C-alpha cells in the first residue's frame, strides 16, 4: 500500500462533540500530511455549533439515523431512513472519489461505513469507550479493523482485528497557555483556585445546580461553569451575585478553559477523559446516567480505579460531596498532584498520528 499517495478520506463524526472533536483531530493530522479529509456530520444544532469554528475544513451533512429497539414499531421508518442515508453516502463517496472511510462512532458512522464496504473501499470504526456501544459493534462487521481508544474494550470485538490507537485530541488543546493569562481571559482572579465544570456539549442541569449551590459556600474557590445554552439564563440568575463564578453557555476556547483550571467536574464521555488525561487534569467525574449501556460509568471506573479521577454517580453528586472533593483534592497540593500524574499516565501515544498511519497503511507502525 502506497502511503505517499494523497488520500481522499471521509470521516463520519457527527452526533455529539465526543465524536466530532476526535474526528477533527484526525482531519488536522491528515491535512498536515497532504491528504484531503472531508467530515460527515449530522444536521443537529450541536454539530453545526461545534463545527462552526473549523470553517477551513469541508463538512457534509447527513440525516441522523438512530436505531430503535428491534421490536419497536419505529424499526420500519428507521429501515427506510437508513437505506436512504446509505444511498446518500454512496453518492458522496463516489463524488469525492473516496479512498478510505473512518467512522468515529455511533449510528452516524454506520451508513458511511456500510456504503464504503459495499463499494469495496477500506473502512474503519473508532470506539473511544471502555464499553463499546451497540452501534459500533454492528458497524465493525463491515470494517477492515476496529480502532480502540482503550485496551479494555478489545474483548467486545472477539472476531475483529483490533488496533489500539487511543482517542485523538485536537491540536489546539495542547498549545501552551499560561494559567494566569487563561484566567484573565475569563475575568477570573489569577491567584485563587479554579474548577472548570461542564456537563457535556449540551450542559447538565444537576451539575449546574450543585455547582451554583456549592459556590455560595466556598468563596475561596472560583468556578468556570459551562452551562449549555438551554440552562444558561437560569444559572446566570443563580450566580448573579457571585463574582467567584463565571458562567458561560458554551466555550469556543476550551484550551484556555482547561489551562485556567486546577481541576475539572465533567461527565465521563471518552473524548472528555482523553482530554483530561492528555492535559493532566484532576477531575471529579459524574457519568451521564442515561448514556447507552451506561458506558460512561464504565469509563469513569477505569479512571477512578487508577487514581486518575474520583467518580460519583449522579444521585451521589451533592454539594456535600463536591465540597469534600474541593477540600480533599483541589486544596490539597499533594493529593492534587498525585491525581494529575495518574491522569497523565492514562494518556497514550500520539493518537491522531497513529490513526492517520492506519488509514495510509492498514496497520499500526512498528514499535521502535
Amino acid at each position: 500500500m502506497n502511503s505517499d499517495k494523497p488520500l481522499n478520506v471521509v470521516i463520519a463524526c457527527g452526533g455529539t462533540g465526543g465524536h466530532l472533536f476526535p474526528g477533527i483531530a484526525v482531519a488536522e493530522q491528515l491535512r498536515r500530511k497532504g491528504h484531503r479529509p472531508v467530515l460527515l456530520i449530522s444536521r443537529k444544532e450541536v454539530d453545526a455549533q461545534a463545527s462552526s469554528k473549523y470553517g477551513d475544513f469541508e463538512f457534509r451533512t447527513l440525516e441522523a439515523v438512530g436505531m430503535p429497539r428491534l421490536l419497536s414499531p419505529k424499526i420500519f421508518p428507521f429501515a427506510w431512513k437508513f437505506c436512504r442515508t446509505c444511498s446518500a453516502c454512496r453518492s458522496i463517496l463516489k463524488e469525492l472519489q473516496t479512498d478510505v472511510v473512518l467512522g468515529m462512532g455511533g449510528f452516524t458512522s454506520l451508513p458511511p461505513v456500510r456504503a464504503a464496504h459495499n463499494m469495496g473501499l477500506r473502512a474503519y470504526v473508532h470506539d473511544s469507550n471502555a464499553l463499546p456501544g451497540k452501534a459500533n459493534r454492528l458497524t465493525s462487521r463491515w470494517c477492515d479493523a476496529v480502532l480502540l481508544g482503550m485496551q479494555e474494550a478489545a474483548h467486545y470485538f472477539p472476531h475483529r482485528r483490533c488496533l489500539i490507537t487511543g482517542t485523538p485530541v485536537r491540536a489546539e488543546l495542547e498549545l501552551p497557555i499560561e494559567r494566569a493569562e487563561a484566567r484573565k481571559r475569563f475575568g477570573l482572579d489569577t491567584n485563587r483556585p479554579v474548577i472548570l465544570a461542564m456537563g457535556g456539549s449540551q450542559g447538565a442541569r444537576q451539575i449546574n445546580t450543585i455547582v451554583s449551590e456549592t459556590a455560595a459556600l466556598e468563596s475561596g474557590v472560583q468556578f468556570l461553569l459551562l452551562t449549555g445554552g438551554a440552562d444558561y439564563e437560569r444559572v446566570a440568575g443563580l450566580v448573579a451575585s457571585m463574582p467567584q463564578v463565571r458562567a458561560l453557555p458554551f466555550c469556543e476556547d476550551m484550551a484556555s478553559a482547561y489551562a485556567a483550571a486546577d481541576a475539572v467536574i465533567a461527565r465521563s464521555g471518552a473524548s472528555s477523559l482523553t482530554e483530561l488525561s492528555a492535559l493532566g487534569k484532576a477531575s471529579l467525574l459524574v457519568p451521564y446516567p442515561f448514556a447507552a449501556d451506561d458506558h460512561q460509568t464504565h469509563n469513569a471506573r477505569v479512571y477512578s480505579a487508577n487514581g486518575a479521577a474520583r467518580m460519583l454517580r449522579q444521585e451521589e453528586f451533592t454539594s456535600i460531596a463536591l465540597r469534600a472533593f474541593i477540600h480533599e483534592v483541589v486544596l490539597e497540593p499533594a493529593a492534587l498532584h498525585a491525581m494529575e500524574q495518574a491522569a497523565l499516565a492514562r494518556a497514550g501515544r500520539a493518537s491522531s498520528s497513529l490513526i492517520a498511519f492506519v488509514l495510509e497503511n492498514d496497520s499500526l507502525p512498528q514499535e521502535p
Side-chain angles (χ1 to χ4, degrees):
M1 194 171 299
N2 182 8
S3 61
D4 294 329
K5 173 185 175 290
L7 298 174
N8 295 322
V9 183
V10 168
I11 304 174
C13 57
T16 70
H19 295 141
L20 176 61
F21 293 132
I24 287 172
V26 175
E28 290 171 337
Q29 179 66 21
L30 288 169
R31 190 164 62 179
R32 282 193 291 270
K33 301 186 76 172
H35 304 301
R36 180 196 176 191
V38 177
L39 297 104
L40 295 185
I41 60 175
S42 75
R43 295 169 185 165
K44 293 181 180 180
E45 182 181 353
V46 62
D47 279 0
Q49 185 180 44
S51 62
S52 62
K53 66 177 291 189
Y54 300 97
D56 53 338
F57 280 112
E58 184 176 352
F59 290 91
R60 301 290 184 93
T61 59
L62 284 175
E63 189 172 10
V65 182
M67 185 176 179
R69 286 178 290 186
L70 289 176
L71 299 180
S72 168
K74 295 180 180 179
I75 194 69
F76 298 107
F78 160 78
W80 178 78
K81 187 186 294 185
F82 177 76
C83 291
R84 187 174 67 183
T85 303
C86 283
S87 178
C89 289
R90 285 193 295 272
S91 297
I92 291 172
L93 298 184
K94 288 180 182 178
E95 176 198 342
L96 297 174
Q97 298 182 337
T98 304
D99 296 297
V100 58
V101 171
L102 170 65
M104 295 307 298
F107 275 106
T108 305
S109 295
L110 178 52
V113 167
R114 179 67 186 273
H117 174 79
N118 289 343
M119 294 169 65
L121 303 176
R122 285 190 296 125
Y124 305 88
V125 68
H126 181 274
D127 195 295
S128 304
N129 296 294
L131 174 63
K134 294 176 182 176
N136 286 354
R137 285 181 248 175
L138 177 60
T139 303
S140 71
R141 299 181 184 182
W142 299 289
C143 290
D144 291 77
V146 180
L147 314 183
L148 297 178
M150 298 187 193
Q151 175 71 54
E152 291 85 349
H155 71 276
Y156 290 100
F157 300 96
H159 305 298
R160 310 294 170 205
R161 182 165 63 111
C162 294
L163 304 175
I164 312 303
T165 63
T167 297
V169 175
R170 292 166 286 167
E172 67 195 74
L173 295 184
E174 299 184 293
L175 294 174
I177 300 174
E178 292 290 333
R179 175 167 289 176
E181 176 59 31
R183 290 179 177 178
K184 287 178 182 177
R185 292 181 190 181
F186 295 106
L188 296 166
D189 187 327
T190 59
N191 295 314
R192 281 189 292 165
V194 173
I195 299 174
L196 169 64
M198 52 187 185
S201 55
Q202 300 184 66
R205 186 179 179 91
Q206 186 194 13
I207 288 178
N208 296 338
T209 299
I210 297 301
V211 168
S212 300
E213 292 175 357
T214 303
L217 302 170
E218 295 287 347
S219 58
V221 176
Q222 302 174 97
F223 291 90
L224 178 57
L225 178 54
L226 309 185
T227 67
D231 204 25
Y232 174 70
E233 294 298 331
R234 181 185 74 91
V235 176
L238 292 175
V239 303
S241 62
M242 302 180 196
Q244 72 273 27
V245 181
R246 179 78 168 98
L248 299 172
F250 182 78
C251 181
E252 293 188 351
D253 185 6
M254 284 304 299
S256 293
Y258 280 125
D262 295 279
V264 180
I265 301 166
R267 296 302 197 186
S268 47
S271 182
S272 294
L273 294 183
T274 301
E275 292 173 359
L276 293 171
S277 59
L279 300 173
K281 291 294 176 181
S283 60
L284 176 60
L285 302 176
V286 186
Y288 180 57
F290 306 109
D293 301 318
D294 199 22
H295 70 266
Q296 288 203 7
T297 297
H298 289 263
N299 292 344
R301 283 176 179 157
V302 169
Y303 274 66
S304 61
N306 290 278
R310 281 195 181 181
M311 184 191 90
L312 291 172
R313 288 189 172 274
Q314 183 152 295
E315 63 271 19
E316 300 170 333
F317 182 62
T318 63
S319 182
I320 292 173
L322 176 52
R323 293 182 74 189
F325 175 74
I326 291 170
H327 288 277
E328 294 169 9
V329 177
V330 181
L331 299 179
E332 286 292 334
L336 183 66
H337 178 73
M339 190 174 287
E340 291 170 341
Q341 293 303 303
L344 281 172
R346 290 289 311 176
R349 296 184 288 170
S351 180
S352 298
S353 298
L354 291 177
I355 292 175
F357 190 94
V358 171
L359 298 180
E360 292 172 329
N361 301 281
D362 191 37
S363 66
L364 285 171
Q366 292 187 351
E367 294 281 358

